[in-house]
Amino acid sequence: MQKSLQTQAGAGAAPPGRRFLLKGGIAATGATLLGAAAARAAAQPDAPPAAPPADPDWSRSLGPGVDDRPYGQPSHFEKDVIRRNVPWLTAGTQSSVSFTPLQHQDGIITANGLFFERYHAGRPTVDPAQHRLMIHGMVDRPLLLDIEDLRRFPSESRIHFIECPANGGMEWRGAQLNSLQFTHGMIGCAEWTGVRLSTLFGETGIKPGAAWVLAEGADGAHMDRSIPLAKCLDDCMVIYGQNGEALRPEQGYPMRLLVPGWQGNINVKWLRRLQIGTQPWFTREETAQYTESMPDGMARAFTWAIYAKSVVTFPCPERPMKGAGLYEIRGLAWSGNGRISRVDISTDGGITWRPATLQPPVLSKALTRFTAEWRWDGKPAMVQSRAVDETGFVQPTIAQLRAIRGTSPIYNNNSIQTWQVKADGSVFNVQLS
Ligand SMILES: Nc1nc2c(c(=O)[nH]1)N[C@H]1C(S)=C(S)[C@@H](COP(=O)(O)O)O[C@H]1N2
Ligand SMILES: [Mo]
């Protein structure tokens, strides 16, 4: 009896429970999805071993004390919730990227161990005792700061997403990867703690005529980007804290630049230099890279902000449906230009739309959760979400984007995602023309 109970818990008791809940619980009681009666019913599926009061091993023995886990880890039943990469995309240490498992993210904050990674030259091991940040160029008093100096300045904590503009880049020519993690997982959202650039520049002073800042990393790539001084003074920060602990090595330990709402690559990790000047530097990272050719032969460069975007995270290819019944569609929306003001849901491929509920907090330049009730009739469906931000910008379709930018870009694909739900509940990445 105990054995089968444990096996069931280990294999994930949720699917059979949910099936029961939706078929029996809801139909019989007409109660809400989360009603107490339904919850009790869910804990008591057809198989007798789960009948309460269950008395498995863990209820009849002492567990380990606090000593075995000085740094906590998720339950080992969650071992498949990990960052993953696309083998043909990630070439090795010269250039690599891993994706956040958004299909398992239950809130707006991305766990530090699951935050996507993008390395142009691998992940350096930076010794904070030796690392310095230099602020120089058109300043009155150049500064050389170590991490302790940085931590003495007035600090702020803010919740923002970071998204690589290549997120969705593999989908320009057609639906390619049957996975939420791979179509949308080059994004994460964290509570970041650090010092505003306006505070640091207040210390150095800025000479008249200054208009641009060059940010440079300490890794082998020396990733460098030019940023308008106005943006730096508006809301950029040098970050040393991430979700309640030190910035992770993957995210730029011991310090990174945060450029809220702007493309991931501008958020320079392992930050070692800020130079103030009068014009952009036109570095390789903003000429050969991170610009894109338009169908007419012109190139779009300095495309900074992430435009409004959203995606349904349940259902999705990794999280299929389990039979007809009442469900909650769930998803995430974000904009680099401010707050999300509205998300609409379609289950018929964009023919009809209805508003989703935005779940607080709805923060500027942060992931925002949305939900919508859906009574699925068990017939094929096309699930979509469409975000609108506070500027009034409406998330476009892939057809609208292609009409302007063709099928060969890599960057800035913020199009509406379509998940095709088949009658058996399986979910597929498709595109509607
Ligand atoms: N120094 C440095 N900064 C960097 C990079 C890099 O390779 N080196 N990658 C950039 C890119 S392309 C992105 S999308 C983001 C990714 O941030 P994350 O790895 O913390 O998710 O970091 C940016 N900052
Ligand atoms: Mo990126």
Side-chain angles (χ1 to χ4, degrees):
M1 185 162 167
Q2 275 166 19
K3 205 169 202 160
S4 63
L5 179 72
Q6 284 173 3
T7 306
Q8 188 186 35
R18 169 177 280 153
R19 202 176 303 126
F20 182 88
L21 174 71
L22 294 174
K23 276 192 187 144
I26 295 298
T29 64
T32 68
L33 192 60
L34 302 174
R40 271 197 302 279
Q44 193 183 0
D46 343 302
D55 206 8
D57 278 354
W58 58 76
S59 301
R60 295 188 290 115
S61 58
L62 290 171
V66 294
D67 290 346
D68 72 324
R69 302 234 266 186
Y71 191 93
Q73 297 292 325
S75 162
H76 71 264
F77 294 111
E78 302 294 317
K79 64 182 186 322
D80 292 334
V81 182
I82 50 174
R83 295 187 283 229
R84 293 174 194 275
N85 54 45
V86 177
W88 51 263
L89 180 74
T90 43
T93 49
Q94 295 96 355
S95 177
S96 56
V97 52
S98 70
F99 297 76
T100 299
L102 290 178
Q103 66 275 21
H104 296 294
Q105 184 169 318
D106 287 329
I108 64 169
I109 298 293
T110 305
N112 288 345
L114 299 175
F115 207 101
F116 86 102
E117 307 148 278
R118 176 75 183 93
Y119 306 142
H120 289 238
R123 180 183 61 249
T125 303
V126 178
D127 175 358
Q130 291 185 48
H131 182 78
R132 299 289 181 275
L133 169 61
M134 180 163 82
I135 307 179
H136 69 128
M138 294 177 69
V139 295
D140 301 320
R141 293 168 297 279
L143 262 188
L144 198 58
L145 301 172
D146 65 17
I147 184 69
E148 292 308 321
D149 299 329
L150 185 67
R151 283 177 175 272
R152 278 186 60 178
F153 280 93
S155 60
E156 274 182 35
S157 295
R158 284 203 256 133
I159 295 175
H160 289 301
F161 72 83
I162 293 178
E163 183 185 23
C164 175
N167 202 14
M170 294 172 287
E171 304 289 305
W172 274 107
R173 283 154 206 255
Q176 209 177 171
L177 291 158
N178 201 42
S179 153
L180 169 64
Q181 188 162 5
F182 294 145
T183 55
H184 289 80
M186 275 195 240
I187 189 168
C189 184
E191 185 204 48
W192 308 102
T193 300
V195 183
R196 277 177 173 265
L197 286 195
S198 58
T199 303
L200 295 173
F201 292 166
E203 192 75 9
T204 60
I206 293 204
K207 289 202 183 329
W212 287 80
V213 177
L214 181 77
E216 181 189 78
D219 53 334
H222 289 131
M223 178 92 200
D224 50 356
R225 289 280 329 235
S226 310
I227 308 160
L229 180 61
K231 173 67 176 172
C232 292
L233 294 174
D234 177 26
D235 62 357
C236 294
M237 298 171 71
V238 180
I239 299 302
Y240 51 78
Q242 178 182 354
N243 290 333
E245 61 183 1
L247 187 67
R248 287 284 174 97
E250 293 92 317
Q251 268 65 59
Y253 180 87
M255 53 180 88
R256 92 175 295 167
L257 188 64
L258 180 71
V259 186
W262 285 21
Q263 300 178 348
N265 59 81
I266 310 171
N267 294 253
V268 172
K269 302 191 279 191
W270 314 290
L271 181 70
R272 74 163 190 178
R273 198 159 73 86
L274 293 169
Q275 184 180 351
I276 322 293
T278 56
Q279 49 189 16
W281 280 257
F282 295 101
T283 70
R284 175 178 170 278
E285 304 288 2
E286 54 205 20
T287 51
Q289 307 296 316
Y290 301 108
T291 68
E292 58 199 15
S293 301
M294 298 286 282
D296 65 1
M298 299 290 280
R300 287 173 97 220
F302 296 114
T303 52
W304 289 311
I306 298 283
Y307 281 77
K309 188 168 172 181
S310 68
V311 69
V312 169
T313 58
F314 174 80
C316 71
E318 293 96 330
R319 305 212 102 181
M321 307 285 282
K322 309 269 184 195
L326 183 60
Y327 287 88
E328 183 176 71
I329 292 176
R330 296 178 181 144
L332 295 166
W334 60 98
S335 167
N337 286 314
R339 286 183 181 75
I340 289 295
S341 56
R342 179 190 175 99
V343 175
D344 293 313
I345 296 286
S346 177
T347 53
D348 56 14
I351 299 167
T352 60
W353 296 91
R354 62 192 166 98
T357 304
L358 300 185
Q359 300 286 339
V362 179
L363 302 172
S364 180
K365 305 171 189 176
L367 291 185
T368 298
R369 248 166 62 74
F370 63 84
T371 59
E373 236 181 61
W374 184 32
R375 191 175 286 282
W376 184 43
D377 56 12
K379 298 199 178 104
M382 299 270 193
V383 178
Q384 300 181 325
S385 64
R386 180 179 65 191
V388 183
D389 70 16
E390 63 180 314
T391 71
F393 180 91
V394 182
Q395 185 181 2
T397 64
I398 186 76
Q400 286 170 326
L401 283 184
R402 283 203 189 108
I404 300 165
R405 286 162 54 198
T407 55
S408 59
I410 300 170
Y411 304 115
N412 304 310
N413 177 1
N414 65 326
S415 63
I416 292 170
Q417 173 68 46
T418 308
W419 298 130
Q420 177 189 39
V421 179
K422 300 210 168 161
D424 69 359
S426 56
V427 180
F428 293 88
N429 172 19
V430 298
Q431 290 184 359
L432 303 178
S433 50

